[in-house]
Amino acid sequence: MSSTVSVSSKRISVGTYENGEFDTVVFTVKSDADFWSDISEDWTTGKSRGYAEHSFISTDLMWRVLSGKRWEILTVMAGAGELSIREVARKVARDVKAVHGDVTALMKAGVIRRGESGKVVFPYHHFHLSLSNQQAAA
């Protein structure tokens, strides 16, 4: 079992996985304290969550990164493997330049990445948003 942790000023993400990959990612909002508490619990128990988690530091940041048009991009990329930006633009019926801007923003936030071929990939088949009204008020 392997664990990965990435922390930046813009976002926090954690994943615990056995075969290097998850089928599902859950987008959440967590404070630094909650994030590190979860990491500590994962290390202590050694159990896999069974999904990747991408946690944002604030709901404002999450909504800026996961805007409606970017959510649509993730929807068409989920489970599709590596795609060129032109292919993504065609699937969402949008201008290539606009999609390039959104893909770049999603890459900077660590949500999608470049694959081995140089095309972009969202390495999950499913994604969920987990947000409570308490998190939204924070």
Side-chain angles (χ1 to χ4, degrees), residues 9-11 56-66:
S9 61
K10 295 184 177 185
R11 59 136 174 90
F56 293 89
I57 294 172
S58 71
T59 51
D60 180 54
L61 178 61
M62 183 188 66
W63 292 133
R64 280 187 286 154
V65 171
L66 299 177

Side-chain angles (χ1 to χ4, degrees), residues 44-58:
T44 303
T45 64
K47 293 181 182 175
S48 172
R49 296 172 187 225
Y51 58 89
E53 183 177 296
H54 189 105
S55 296
F56 293 89
I57 294 172
S58 71

